[in-house]
């Protein structure tokens, strides 16, 4: 039984890369079909994440020209993680592979992923071997971040981003996670199932600019910590406990000086410095607690995470009839 594979590609203002991406993906699909690795119904699903440029028009054009190309348009820009989840929960197929539109992730490992699926794996993680195409800053911060997550006991696959294959039942399991604050690379390992890793080298973006500026990057990183770990809260408790213990010690010492010696207590510094220090610690604690309260707030609303505006392409037409 050859599986029907769907390639899910979130796109935000990707008009510069879509043509090239499509021709490379079509070539890959044709090759895999020839090798009898995937079924003829295997398709490409572009998820237009509310692009402001001609991305959607281009997707429609490509879909008209190639029966394998399908499109899903979100009603507005919801960010990469939401767009990707929308694609995974909307596209049909026995297994779906998520890829970035700029094809920085080496496509040659996709046949390996499909072979692992045929061998019975439900999830296959694409893992970066080296980060030679990244800047020093990016490499240093990204690897440091993965280590920090591991330290906070967040289960992640080291150096794995969102390049992965998921079987139908893994996707169905993922659909049962109702959270709004998405960090897919933290959620997928929670699913369990049989899984494996394929290694690849990451290339540079062949056209266009990164749609992940520092701000979005930091927000994703913060999401990863606050959606998956309560370690920051525990850390505050620990700091609070230590500071309280130290102040009790100090108070005892002050009492001792007052009762049994004639030395004057130090004045200004010992009053003002701890005041500022404690004020700072309190503010920090409140900030982090507020962060979690904000999460409870958004999670209890249980809002839908996306609305599909339109579906395009053969796979959907067949589904409707
Ligand atoms: N992307 C998206 N919505 C956004 C930002 C990015 O769907 O709001 C998509 C983008 O089109 C690309 C993928 O997410 O397919 C990864 O983005 P990019 O390649 O710019 O990130 P980088 O590789 O620089 O981290
Ligand atoms: Mg990229």
């Amino acid at each position: 039984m050859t599986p029907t594979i769907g390639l899910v590609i979130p796109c935000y203002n990707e008009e510069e890369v879509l043509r090239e991406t499509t021709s490379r993906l079509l070539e890959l699909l044709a090759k895999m079909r020839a090798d009898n690795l995937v079924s003829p119904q295997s398709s490409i699903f572009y998820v237009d994440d509310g692009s402001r440029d001609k991305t959607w028009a281009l997707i429609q054009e490509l879909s008209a020209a190639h029966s394998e190309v399908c499109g899903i348009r979100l009603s507005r820009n919801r960010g990469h993680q939401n767009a990707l989840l929308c694609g995974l929960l909307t596209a049909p197929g026995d297994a779906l592979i998520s890829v970035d539109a700029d094809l920085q992730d080496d496509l040659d490992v996709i046949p390996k992923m499909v072979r692992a699926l045929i061998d019975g794996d439900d999830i296959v993680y694409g893992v970066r071997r080296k980060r030679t195409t990244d800047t020093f800053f990016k490499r240093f911060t990204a690897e440091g971040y993965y280590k920090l997550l591991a330290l906070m006991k967040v289960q992640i696959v080291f150096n794995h981003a969102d390049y992965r294959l998921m079987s139908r039942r893994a996707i169905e399991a993922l659909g049962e996670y109702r959270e709004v604050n998405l960090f897919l690379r933290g959620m997928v390992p929670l699913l369990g199932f049989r899984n494996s890793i394929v290694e690849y080298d990451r290339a540079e973006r062949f056209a266009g600019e990164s749609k992940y500026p520092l701000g979005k990057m930091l927000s994703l990183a913060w999401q990863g910590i606050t959606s998956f770990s309560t370690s920051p809260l525990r850390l505050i408790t620990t700091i609070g406990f230590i500071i309280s213990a130290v102040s009790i010690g100090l108070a005892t010492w002050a009492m001792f000086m007052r009762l049994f010696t004639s030395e004057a207590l130090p004045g200004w510094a010992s009053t003002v410095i701890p005041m500022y220090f404690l004020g700072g610690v309190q503010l920090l604690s409140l900030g982090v607690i507020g962060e979690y309260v904000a999460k409870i707030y958004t999670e209890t609303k249980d809002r839908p995470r996306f609305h599909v505006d339109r579906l395009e392409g053969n796979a959907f037409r067949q589904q409707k009839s």
Side-chain angles (χ1 to χ4, degrees):
M1 271 290 284
T2 48
T4 301
I5 298 292
L7 299 165
V8 175
I9 301 135
C11 310
Y12 179 57
N13 297 342
E14 297 286 13
E15 61 179 11
E16 280 164 289
V17 306
L18 276 187
R19 267 178 218 285
E20 172 72 17
T21 299
T22 306
S23 69
R24 288 202 210 172
L25 291 176
L26 285 174
E27 198 181 315
L28 174 79
L29 278 182
K31 198 170 147 282
M32 289 201 294
R33 268 201 305 263
D35 293 346
N36 220 11
L37 210 54
V38 302
S39 82
Q41 290 81 38
S42 297
S43 310
I44 301 168
F45 297 91
Y46 288 119
V47 185
D48 177 14
D49 184 17
S51 299
R52 283 161 216 285
D53 64 359
K54 297 197 191 69
T55 299
W56 180 248
L58 202 56
I59 291 172
Q60 283 180 308
E61 184 197 315
L62 291 164
S63 175
H66 309 279
S67 60
E68 297 93 334
V69 179
C70 306
I72 301 165
R73 182 164 75 163
L74 295 195
S75 52
R76 69 174 171 93
N77 180 245
R78 295 300 309 261
H80 172 239
Q81 298 286 296
N82 285 294
L84 181 53
L85 185 74
C86 166
L88 292 176
L89 298 184
T90 312
D94 298 325
L96 298 175
I97 301 173
S98 45
V99 198
D100 285 353
D102 55 9
L103 300 188
Q104 282 185 285
D105 306 317
D106 181 12
L107 292 182
D108 291 342
V109 302
I110 287 184
K112 276 193 217 164
M113 288 181 169
V114 177
R115 266 185 215 109
L117 172 82
I118 294 169
D119 287 345
D121 284 339
D122 279 289
I123 303 169
V124 188
Y125 298 99
V127 170
R128 277 179 229 185
R129 204 176 289 132
K130 284 176 267 141
R131 284 179 172 270
T132 39
T133 53
D134 285 348
T135 59
F136 172 76
F137 176 74
K138 175 85 191 248
R139 190 162 63 218
F140 182 76
T141 50
E143 293 197 338
Y145 178 67
Y146 281 113
K147 283 182 188 140
L148 178 71
L149 281 182
L151 208 70
M152 292 183 161
K153 306 266 184 310
V154 183
Q155 255 195 57
I156 33 122
V157 179
F158 192 71
N159 268 342
H160 159 70
D162 283 309
Y163 186 30
R164 73 177 86 80
L165 174 146
M166 292 178 80
S167 72
R168 183 45 55 194
R169 62 182 190 142
I171 292 160
E172 272 165 17
L174 183 70
E176 286 168 30
Y177 285 66
R178 303 301 315 159
E179 62 207 79
V180 181
N181 297 289
L182 293 179
F183 186 65
L184 290 171
R185 66 194 75 167
M187 289 161 72
V188 176
L190 294 180
L191 301 176
F193 294 123
R194 219 183 99 172
N195 58 75
S196 60
I197 278 173
V198 291
E199 290 196 325
Y200 69 95
D201 292 318
R202 193 163 148 99
E204 287 188 47
R205 197 177 239 280
F206 66 82
E209 283 173 3
S210 173
K211 307 296 180 296
Y212 249 107
L214 189 64
K216 274 191 187 172
M217 209 74 210
L218 288 176
S219 128
L220 182 71
W222 186 237
Q223 200 76 270
I225 293 172
T226 53
S227 294
F228 283 88
S229 173
T230 47
S231 298
L233 283 176
R234 203 159 308 143
L235 185 69
I236 292 173
T237 318
T238 314
I239 294 173
F241 181 78
I242 292 171
I243 291 175
S244 312
V246 168
S247 12
I248 291 170
L250 278 178
T252 318
W253 175 76
M255 197 96 91
F256 176 84
M257 296 296 274
R258 176 76 183 77
L259 294 177
F260 302 107
T261 73
S262 56
E263 269 171 56
L265 285 173
W268 191 85
S270 63
T271 319
V272 173
I273 293 168
M275 228 168 69
Y276 274 91
F277 180 65
L278 286 175
V281 170
Q282 278 172 347
L283 279 182
L284 180 80
S285 316
L286 279 177
V288 179
I289 292 168
E291 195 66 37
Y292 284 93
V293 174
K295 284 239 143 85
I296 297 169
Y297 173 75
T298 50
E299 295 291 354
T300 49
K301 280 188 187 229
D302 200 21
R303 283 179 175 154
R305 289 159 293 179
F306 52 80
H307 305 287
V308 175
D309 183 10
R310 240 179 282 175
L311 300 173
E312 183 82 34
N314 272 355
F316 291 120
R317 258 170 243 138
Q318 280 157 14
Q319 208 178 40
K320 264 180 258 167
S321 58

